[in-house]
Amino acid sequence: MKLSQLKIGQKGIIKEFTDLAMSVKLMEMGCLPGEEIKLDRIAPMGCPIAVSVAGYQLSLRKKEAATIELI
Amino acid sequence: MKSNIKVALVGNPNTGKSTLFNLLTGLNQKIGNFPGVTVDKKLGLCKLADGQIAEIIDLPGTYSLYPKSADESIVLEILSNKNNPSFPNLIIIVADATNLKRNLLLYTQIADLRIPVIIALNMIDLAEKSHLQIHINHLAKLLNVTIVPLAARKNIGITELKKAILHCPTIALQYPSIAIENIATALIAEISLELKIDNPYIALQIAHQHKSLKYIDKANHPLIEALKAKHHFNSQKAQAQETIARYNYINDVLADTVKYPAIALEENISNKIDHVLTHKVWGLAIFFGILFTIFQSIFSWSSYPMALIENLFVGLANLSHAYLPQGALSNLLVDGVLAGLSGVMVFIPQIALLFAFISVLEDTGYMARVTFMMDKLMRKVGLSGKSVVPLIGGLACAVPSIMSTRTIENWKNRMITIMVTPLVSCSARLPIYTLLISLVVPNKYVGGFINLQGLTLMAMYVLSIVMAIVVAWVMKKIIKSREQGYFIMELPVYRMPRWHNVGITMYESVKTFVTQAGKVIIAISIILWVLASYGPGNTFYNIDKKYQNNKFNNFSVDEINKLKAAEKLENSYAGVLGKSIEPAIKPLGFDWKIGIALITSFAAREVFVGTMATLYSVDGDDTKIEPVRNKMAKARNTQTGQLVFTTATAFSLMIFYAFAMQCMSTMAVVYRETKNIKWPIIQFVYMLVLAYGCSFVVYQVLK
């Protein structure tokens, strides 16, 4: 399952990334394999999304969230 | 004062770095809750005990030494080059105690640069409140670094931090974090050898970023590229490997030193607020509600102080006329300088209010939510959610807003944002709008509470933003780029605005406006007064002579003076100038007097009101001193006898000022940010064409 497929309030654990360039940026921001990630909110127009990860809130676009595979 | 030690402040965005900088130096700078408000390097001096002075450099907030945006790259540029004039003796890493793991990533990178380091562990009060246990002494021992717990907002720990700066080591004592050489052993060795670099991490960073580091000689680029190819160096893979290794190290360190609360805390307040503020329907409604309130308040709250300033200047002019000796010099002072200044100073309350509102929106963290909500819409027109901040900032002034576009990573998004930001109505247009609206829109309330003038003003602002979006969409179709944009942004927790900070923003904005605009306005007022008071050859002599003719015997002295003044102005240098462009602006409903204002406000819009004030003072009758608004309201065309400022002319003029690029400072900053003269020229031309076209349509329709 991908991060972009989570429902609001649902949690997942990061397994791997499907895009190398994106993974570098996401990991710097604390999205690491093994981290728990929760979908908090979706923006009014359906994108971007806000997730809780590594103790803070991060927003990213759906397309970017689709590069994160969850366990 | 000479500093003995150079200290650099480094840290993630939203860690309170700028607040700490203010506390240490007492120097004022803009602080915001939005990631990346600190775009330029900020300097300040800090007094330590023993009379020692430290020079503090506030570097842009960044999550890592691999920059995502233009302003972040300055951090590595300074910290990896011993010869850089800003190279520090000590780095203070400002880390958020509530989010230690992510904050320590930057620490481990900085630690490997082998510069002495202190960790300022900020927001320790918030960490305690959420039952997060950090064993600071143990952590300090594991890293072999001084850690000072802080609560910068509450002014706790500052004395201890100053002590730590005073007693900082002269060489880097912190333990190295990871085995850098393992990432690219042979490449690091060869780069170190070729470029004579003694630090393996800097050698690795050069492999990654040599093209964007200015201190690396261009001649070395092919060599470094060749070495990278030889050793099959994949920048992204190496970076991923490094980041994972660093987090493994951090996890080991934190495992023994930080205890997270056993049960997950109830949903925090920020999240609850966001349920409402970023709600599908309410979120957008509240956003527009906030904008609406801002514009209503600007009009209603500022009316009293504005009347006060207006009366003050009328009083001053009366006094000057009563006590100054008659003559050219006092005329210049009263009709030129004083009239010009009063026309503009009146708007201080409105400008202060606008800046205060924007500062509160940024400081509370609400601006980041606006970015979040608007991203999809913005992307459709070739912008990014992050463009919202410069666009809203454009309501105050385009110059700092264009500088803040550096946080936009994608080149095309950034260029389009820069190109359209000056279309958003800035505070310099506010005086023009208010003046013209008060001339032609009645001061009435609709539905009991909506002020018609306020509504018109808001319509002007909405129109300017809509136009910015339309132009952005057109540019999206024109500008070609294959670069992919992304939007990975921290949403900071909501915080109360720091009122002290809002006060400083108001004060600074007014100070800049008064000194910068004031200087230009005084200079142009003087030139204009001279141009309007003298004419070519002996035209003025001839006019004087003409009115001595017998046929004017039936007129009173007052009437003759008035007729004379009007004819002199029309034949003065200014009049000739205005008349020469009259054919071009007549289709827009402008007469030659407005033409003069267009010419004088070519470099800065603020001058318009001052020009009007000066022109109508020269023209007006000396026995009555009135605010410029009243003079303009009575102005009539000398040929047709009709009112000059009809609804059609006023709106056409507002549209012209809304869309035309009449600001030298903006053009200068666009050139500086794009580094290509092409962009400010394109911008100037398209805005002029747009302004002329729209004004033409408005005048012809309303006429």
Side-chain angles (χ1 to χ4, degrees), chain A residues 20-22 24-30 32 35 40-45 47-50 54 56-61 63-64, chain B residues 63-64 66 68 99 101-102 105 236-237 239-240 244 247 271 274 278 280 372-373 375-376 379 484-491:
Chain A
L20 181 62
M22 205 59 80
V24 172
K25 279 155 195 138
L26 287 166
M27 283 196 293
E28 272 183 355
M29 297 297 282
L32 291 156
E35 268 308 323
D40 285 335
R41 244 184 313 288
I42 300 174
M45 279 162 268
C47 181
I49 61 170
Y56 77 108
Q57 202 171 55
L58 182 76
S59 81
L60 68 168
R61 289 180 185 151
K63 201 174 72 191
E64 292 150 5
Chain B
Y63 295 99
S64 99
Y66 296 97
K68 285 198 210 53
N99 197 345
K101 193 163 153 186
R102 200 198 63 212
L105 176 73
Q236 284 175 343
K237 270 189 188 152
Q239 207 180 319
I244 290 171
Y247 272 117
N271 245 330
D274 268 338
T278 62
K280 253 184 191 157
F372 174 71
M373 284 191 289
D375 180 61
K376 191 164 183 191
R379 230 179 325 151
Q484 195 193 1
Y486 56 92
F487 182 85
I488 301 173
M489 187 188 74
E490 181 181 355
L491 290 173

Coordinates of all heavy atoms in Angstrom, one line a residue, chain A residues 20-22 24-30 32 35 40-45 47-50 54 56-61 63-64, chain B residues 63-64 66 68 99 101-102 105 236-237 239-240 244 247 271 274 278 280 372-373 375-376 379 484-491:
Chain A
L20 N 14.1 7.5 -6.2 CA 15.3 7.8 -5.5 C 15.5 9.3 -5.1 O 15.7 9.7 -3.9 CB 16.5 7.4 -6.3 CG 17.9 7.6 -5.6 CD1 18.0 6.8 -4.4 CD2 19.0 7.2 -6.6
A21 N 15.2 10.2 -6.1 CA 15.4 11.6 -5.8 C 14.5 12.1 -4.7 O 14.9 12.9 -3.8 CB 15.1 12.4 -7.1
M22 N 13.2 11.6 -4.7 CA 12.2 12.0 -3.7 C 12.6 11.4 -2.4 O 12.5 12.1 -1.3 CB 10.9 11.5 -4.2 CG 9.7 12.3 -3.6 SD 9.8 14.0 -4.0 CE 9.1 13.9 -5.7
V24 N 15.5 10.9 -1.0 CA 16.5 11.6 -0.4 C 15.9 12.8 0.4 O 16.3 13.0 1.6 CB 17.6 12.1 -1.4 CG1 18.6 13.1 -0.8 CG2 18.3 11.0 -2.1
K25 N 15.0 13.5 -0.2 CA 14.4 14.6 0.4 C 13.5 14.2 1.5 O 13.5 14.8 2.6 CB 13.6 15.5 -0.6 CG 14.5 16.4 -1.4 CD 14.0 16.7 -2.8 CE 15.1 17.3 -3.6 NZ 15.0 16.8 -5.0
L26 N 12.7 13.1 1.3 CA 11.8 12.7 2.4 C 12.6 12.2 3.6 O 12.1 12.4 4.7 CB 10.9 11.6 1.8 CG 9.8 12.1 0.8 CD1 9.2 10.9 0.0 CD2 8.8 12.9 1.6
M27 N 13.7 11.5 3.4 CA 14.4 11.0 4.5 C 15.0 12.1 5.3 O 15.0 12.0 6.6 CB 15.5 10.0 4.0 CG 14.9 8.6 3.6 SD 16.2 7.3 3.5 CE 17.1 7.9 2.1
E28 N 15.5 13.1 4.7 CA 16.0 14.3 5.4 C 15.0 14.9 6.3 O 15.3 15.4 7.4 CB 16.5 15.4 4.4 CG 17.9 15.2 4.0 CD 18.3 16.3 3.1 OE1 17.4 17.2 2.7 OE2 19.5 16.4 2.7
M29 N 13.7 14.8 5.9 CA 12.6 15.4 6.7 C 12.1 14.4 7.7 O 11.1 14.6 8.3 CB 11.5 15.8 5.8 CG 11.9 16.9 4.8 SD 12.3 18.4 5.6 CE 10.8 19.1 6.0
G30 N 12.8 13.3 7.9 CA 12.4 12.3 8.9 C 11.6 11.2 8.5 O 11.2 10.3 9.3
L32 N 11.6 7.9 7.4 CA 12.6 6.8 7.2 C 11.9 5.5 7.2 O 10.9 5.4 7.9 CB 13.6 6.9 8.4 CG 14.5 8.1 8.3 CD1 15.1 8.3 9.7 CD2 15.7 7.8 7.4
E35 N 9.6 4.1 10.2 CA 8.8 5.2 10.9 C 7.3 5.0 10.7 O 6.9 4.6 9.7 CB 9.2 6.5 10.3 CG 10.3 7.4 10.9 CD 10.3 7.7 12.3 OE1 9.3 7.9 13.0 OE2 11.5 7.7 12.8
D40 N -3.2 12.9 8.5 CA -4.0 13.7 9.4 C -5.1 14.4 8.6 O -6.2 14.6 9.1 CB -3.1 14.8 10.0 CG -2.2 14.3 11.1 OD1 -2.6 13.3 11.7 OD2 -1.2 14.9 11.4
R41 N -4.8 14.9 7.4 CA -5.7 15.8 6.7 C -5.4 15.8 5.2 O -4.3 15.5 4.8 CB -5.4 17.2 7.2 CG -6.6 17.9 7.9 CD -6.3 19.3 8.3 NE -5.0 19.5 8.9 CZ -4.7 19.0 10.1 NH1 -5.6 18.5 10.9 NH2 -3.5 19.2 10.6
I42 N -6.5 16.2 4.5 CA -6.3 16.4 3.1 C -6.7 17.8 2.8 O -7.7 18.3 3.3 CB -7.2 15.4 2.3 CG1 -6.7 13.9 2.6 CG2 -7.0 15.6 0.8 CD1 -7.6 12.8 2.0
A43 N -6.0 18.5 1.9 CA -6.3 19.9 1.6 C -7.6 20.0 0.9 O -8.1 19.0 0.3 CB -5.2 20.5 0.8
P44 N -8.3 21.1 1.0 CA -9.7 21.3 0.5 C -9.8 20.8 -0.9 O -10.9 20.3 -1.3 CB -9.9 22.8 0.6 CG -9.1 23.2 1.7 CD -7.9 22.3 1.8
M45 N -8.8 20.9 -1.8 CA -9.0 20.5 -3.2 C -8.4 19.1 -3.4 O -8.1 18.8 -4.6 CB -8.4 21.6 -4.1 CG -9.3 22.7 -4.3 SD -8.6 24.2 -5.0 CE -8.2 25.1 -3.5
C47 N -5.5 17.8 -2.5 CA -4.1 17.7 -2.6 C -3.6 19.0 -2.1 O -4.2 20.0 -2.5 CB -3.6 17.4 -4.0 SG -1.8 17.2 -4.1
P48 N -2.5 19.2 -1.4 CA -1.6 18.1 -0.8 C -2.3 17.5 0.4 O -3.4 17.8 0.7 CB -0.4 18.9 -0.4 CG -0.8 20.4 -0.4 CD -2.0 20.5 -1.2
I49 N -1.5 16.6 1.1 CA -2.0 16.0 2.3 C -1.1 16.4 3.5 O 0.1 16.8 3.2 CB -2.0 14.5 2.2 CG1 -0.6 13.9 1.9 CG2 -3.0 14.0 1.1 CD1 -0.5 12.4 2.0
A50 N -1.6 16.2 4.7 CA -0.7 16.5 5.9 C -0.6 15.2 6.7 O -1.6 14.5 6.9 CB -1.4 17.6 6.7
A54 N 7.5 11.2 12.6 CA 8.7 11.6 13.4 C 8.4 12.8 14.4 O 9.3 13.6 14.7 CB 9.9 12.0 12.5
Y56 N 6.3 15.3 14.2 CA 5.8 16.6 13.7 C 4.9 16.4 12.5 O 4.6 15.3 12.1 CB 7.0 17.6 13.4 CG 7.6 17.3 12.1 CD1 7.5 18.1 11.0 CD2 8.4 16.1 11.9 CE1 8.1 17.9 9.8 CE2 9.1 15.9 10.7 CZ 8.9 16.8 9.6 OH 9.5 16.5 8.5
Q57 N 4.4 17.6 12.0 CA 3.5 17.5 10.9 C 4.1 17.9 9.6 O 4.8 19.0 9.6 CB 2.2 18.3 11.2 CG 1.0 17.8 10.3 CD -0.2 18.5 10.8 OE1 -0.3 19.7 10.8 NE2 -1.2 17.7 11.1
L58 N 3.9 17.1 8.6 CA 4.6 17.4 7.3 C 3.5 17.4 6.2 O 2.5 16.7 6.3 CB 5.6 16.2 7.0 CG 6.4 16.3 5.7 CD1 7.5 17.3 5.8 CD2 6.9 14.9 5.4
S59 N 3.6 18.3 5.3 CA 2.7 18.3 4.2 C 3.4 18.0 2.9 O 4.6 18.4 2.7 CB 1.9 19.6 4.0 OG 2.7 20.6 3.3
L60 N 2.8 17.2 2.1 CA 3.4 16.8 0.8 C 2.3 16.5 -0.2 O 1.1 16.3 0.1 CB 4.3 15.6 0.9 CG 3.8 14.2 1.2 CD1 4.9 13.2 1.0 CD2 3.3 14.1 2.7
R61 N 2.6 16.6 -1.5 CA 1.6 16.4 -2.6 C 1.3 14.9 -2.7 O 2.1 14.0 -2.4 CB 2.1 16.9 -3.9 CG 2.1 18.4 -3.9 CD 2.6 19.0 -5.2 NE 2.7 20.4 -5.1 CZ 3.6 21.1 -5.9 NH1 4.4 20.5 -6.7 NH2 3.6 22.5 -5.8
K63 N 1.2 13.1 -5.3 CA 2.1 12.4 -6.2 C 3.4 12.0 -5.5 O 4.0 11.0 -5.7 CB 2.5 13.4 -7.3 CG 3.0 12.8 -8.6 CD 3.2 13.9 -9.7 CE 4.3 14.8 -9.4 NZ 4.4 16.0 -10.2
E64 N 3.8 12.9 -4.6 CA 5.0 12.6 -3.8 C 4.7 11.5 -2.8 O 5.5 10.6 -2.5 CB 5.5 13.9 -3.0 CG 6.0 14.9 -4.0 CD 5.8 16.4 -3.5 OE1 5.3 16.6 -2.4 OE2 6.1 17.3 -4.3
Chain B
Y63 N 17.1 22.1 6.7 CA 17.0 20.8 7.3 C 18.3 20.0 7.1 O 18.5 19.0 7.8 CB 15.8 20.1 6.7 CG 14.5 20.7 7.0 CD1 13.9 21.6 6.1 CD2 13.9 20.6 8.3 CE1 12.7 22.2 6.4 CE2 12.7 21.2 8.6 CZ 12.1 22.0 7.7 OH 10.9 22.6 8.0
S64 N 19.1 20.4 6.2 CA 20.3 19.6 5.9 C 21.3 20.5 5.1 O 21.0 21.6 4.7 CB 20.0 18.3 5.2 OG 20.3 18.4 3.8
Y66 N 22.4 19.7 2.3 CA 22.0 19.6 0.9 C 20.9 20.5 0.7 O 19.8 20.3 1.1 CB 21.6 18.1 0.6 CG 22.8 17.2 0.8 CD1 22.9 16.4 1.9 CD2 23.7 17.0 -0.2 CE1 24.0 15.5 2.1 CE2 24.8 16.1 0.0 CZ 24.9 15.4 1.1 OH 26.0 14.6 1.3
K68 N 17.7 22.7 -0.6 CA 16.6 22.5 -1.4 C 16.2 23.8 -2.2 O 15.6 23.8 -3.2 CB 15.4 22.1 -0.6 CG 15.4 20.7 -0.1 CD 14.0 20.3 0.3 CE 14.0 19.2 1.4 NZ 14.8 19.6 2.6
N99 N 11.5 17.8 18.8 CA 11.6 17.1 17.5 C 13.1 16.8 17.3 O 13.7 17.2 16.3 CB 11.1 17.9 16.4 CG 10.8 17.1 15.2 OD1 11.3 16.0 15.1 ND2 10.1 17.7 14.2
K101 N 15.1 14.2 16.9 CA 15.6 13.3 15.9 C 15.9 14.0 14.6 O 17.1 14.0 14.1 CB 14.7 12.2 15.7 CG 15.2 11.0 15.0 CD 14.3 9.8 15.2 CE 14.3 8.9 14.1 NZ 13.3 7.8 14.2
R102 N 14.9 14.7 14.1 CA 15.1 15.4 12.8 C 16.1 16.5 12.9 O 16.9 16.8 12.0 CB 13.8 15.9 12.3 CG 13.8 16.1 10.8 CD 12.6 17.0 10.4 NE 12.8 18.3 11.0 CZ 11.8 19.1 11.4 NH1 10.5 18.7 11.2 NH2 12.0 20.3 11.9
L105 N 19.9 15.5 12.7 CA 20.5 15.2 11.4 C 21.4 16.3 10.9 O 22.5 16.1 10.6 CB 19.4 15.0 10.3 CG 19.9 14.8 8.9 CD1 20.5 13.4 8.8 CD2 18.8 15.0 7.8
Q236 N 22.8 11.0 -5.7 CA 21.6 10.7 -5.0 C 21.7 9.4 -4.1 O 21.3 9.4 -2.9 CB 20.4 10.5 -5.9 CG 19.9 11.9 -6.4 CD 18.8 11.8 -7.4 OE1 18.6 10.7 -8.0 NE2 18.1 12.9 -7.6
K237 N 22.3 8.4 -4.7 CA 22.5 7.2 -3.9 C 23.4 7.4 -2.7 O 23.2 7.0 -1.6 CB 23.1 6.1 -4.8 CG 22.0 5.2 -5.5 CD 22.6 4.0 -6.2 CE 21.6 3.3 -7.0 NZ 22.1 2.6 -8.1
Q239 N 23.9 10.2 -1.2 CA 23.2 11.0 -0.2 C 22.2 10.2 0.6 O 22.1 10.4 1.8 CB 22.4 12.1 -1.0 CG 22.2 13.4 -0.2 CD 21.4 14.4 -1.0 OE1 21.7 14.6 -2.2 NE2 20.5 15.1 -0.4
A240 N 21.5 9.3 -0.1 CA 20.6 8.4 0.7 C 21.4 7.6 1.7 O 21.0 7.4 2.8 CB 19.8 7.5 -0.3
I244 N 20.8 7.7 5.8 CA 20.5 6.5 6.6 C 21.5 6.2 7.6 O 21.1 6.0 8.8 CB 20.3 5.3 5.6 CG1 19.0 5.5 4.8 CG2 20.2 4.0 6.4 CD1 18.8 4.5 3.7
Y247 N 21.0 8.7 10.5 CA 19.8 8.4 11.3 C 20.1 7.2 12.2 O 19.6 7.1 13.3 CB 18.6 8.2 10.5 CG 17.8 9.6 10.3 CD1 17.7 10.1 9.0 CD2 17.3 10.3 11.4 CE1 17.0 11.3 8.8 CE2 16.7 11.5 11.2 CZ 16.5 12.0 9.9 OH 15.9 13.2 9.7
N271 N -3.7 20.5 16.0 CA -4.5 19.7 15.1 C -6.0 20.0 15.2 O -6.7 20.0 14.2 CB -4.3 18.2 15.6 CG -3.6 17.4 14.5 OD1 -3.8 17.7 13.3 ND2 -2.9 16.4 14.9
D274 N -6.6 23.1 13.2 CA -6.5 22.8 11.8 C -7.8 22.1 11.3 O -8.1 22.3 10.1 CB -5.3 21.9 11.5 CG -4.1 22.7 11.1 OD1 -4.3 23.9 10.7 OD2 -3.0 22.2 11.2
T278 N -8.4 24.4 8.1 CA -8.1 23.9 6.8 C -9.2 23.0 6.3 O -9.1 22.2 5.5 CB -6.8 23.1 6.8 OG1 -6.9 21.9 7.7 CG2 -5.6 23.9 7.2
K280 N -12.5 21.7 4.4 CA -12.9 21.9 3.0 C -13.6 23.1 2.7 O -13.3 23.8 1.7 CB -13.8 20.7 2.6 CG -13.0 19.7 1.7 CD -14.0 18.6 1.3 CE -13.1 17.5 0.7 NZ -13.7 16.2 0.7
F372 N -0.7 25.4 2.3 CA -1.2 24.0 2.2 C -2.6 24.0 1.4 O -2.8 23.2 0.6 CB -1.4 23.5 3.6 CG -2.0 22.2 3.8 CD1 -1.4 21.0 3.4 CD2 -3.3 22.0 4.3 CE1 -2.0 19.8 3.5 CE2 -3.9 20.8 4.5 CZ -3.2 19.7 4.1
M373 N -3.5 24.9 1.8 CA -4.8 24.9 1.1 C -4.8 25.3 -0.3 O -5.5 24.8 -1.1 CB -5.7 25.9 1.9 CG -6.2 25.3 3.2 SD -7.6 26.3 3.9 CE -6.7 27.8 4.4
D375 N -2.2 25.2 -2.6 CA -1.2 24.6 -3.5 C -1.8 24.1 -4.8 O -1.3 24.3 -5.9 CB -0.4 23.5 -2.8 CG 0.6 22.9 -3.7 OD1 1.5 23.6 -4.1 OD2 0.5 21.7 -4.0
K376 N -2.9 23.3 -4.7 CA -3.4 22.7 -5.9 C -3.9 23.8 -6.9 O -3.6 23.7 -8.1 CB -4.6 21.8 -5.5 CG -5.0 20.9 -6.8 CD -5.8 19.7 -6.4 CE -6.1 18.9 -7.7 NZ -7.1 17.9 -7.4
R379 N -0.9 25.5 -8.4 CA -0.2 24.6 -9.4 C -0.9 24.7 -10.7 O -0.2 24.6 -11.8 CB -0.2 23.2 -8.9 CG 1.2 22.7 -8.9 CD 1.3 21.3 -8.4 NE 0.4 21.0 -7.3 CZ -0.2 19.8 -7.0 NH1 0.1 18.8 -7.8 NH2 -1.0 19.7 -6.0
Q484 N 11.0 19.2 -12.4 CA 9.9 18.8 -11.7 C 9.8 19.5 -10.3 O 10.8 19.6 -9.6 CB 9.9 17.3 -11.5 CG 8.6 16.7 -11.0 CD 8.8 15.3 -10.6 OE1 9.9 14.8 -10.5 NE2 7.7 14.7 -10.2
G485 N 8.7 20.1 -10.0 CA 8.6 20.8 -8.7 C 8.1 19.8 -7.6 O 7.5 18.8 -7.9
Y486 N 8.5 20.1 -6.4 CA 7.9 19.3 -5.3 C 7.5 20.2 -4.1 O 7.8 21.4 -4.1 CB 8.8 18.2 -4.8 CG 10.2 18.6 -4.4 CD1 10.4 18.9 -3.1 CD2 11.2 18.8 -5.3 CE1 11.7 19.3 -2.7 CE2 12.5 19.2 -5.0 CZ 12.7 19.5 -3.6 OH 13.9 19.9 -3.2
F487 N 6.8 19.6 -3.2 CA 6.2 20.4 -2.1 C 6.2 19.6 -0.8 O 5.3 18.9 -0.5 CB 4.7 20.7 -2.5 CG 3.9 21.5 -1.6 CD1 4.0 22.9 -1.7 CD2 3.1 21.0 -0.6 CE1 3.3 23.7 -0.8 CE2 2.4 21.8 0.3 CZ 2.5 23.1 0.2
I488 N 7.4 19.6 -0.2 CA 7.6 18.9 1.0 C 7.8 19.9 2.1 O 8.9 20.6 2.1 CB 8.7 17.9 1.0 CG1 8.4 16.9 -0.2 CG2 8.9 17.1 2.3 CD1 9.6 15.9 -0.4
M489 N 6.8 20.2 2.9 CA 6.9 21.4 3.8 C 6.5 21.0 5.2 O 5.5 20.3 5.4 CB 6.1 22.5 3.2 CG 6.2 23.8 3.9 SD 5.0 24.9 3.3 CE 3.5 24.3 4.0
E490 N 7.2 21.5 6.2 CA 6.8 21.3 7.6 C 5.6 22.2 7.9 O 5.5 23.4 7.4 CB 7.9 21.7 8.5 CG 7.6 21.5 9.9 CD 8.7 21.9 10.9 OE1 9.8 22.2 10.4 OE2 8.5 21.9 12.1
L491 N 4.6 21.7 8.6 CA 3.5 22.5 9.1 C 3.8 22.8 10.5 O 3.6 22.0 11.4 CB 2.1 21.8 8.9 CG 1.6 21.6 7.5 CD1 0.4 20.8 7.5 CD2 1.3 23.0 6.8

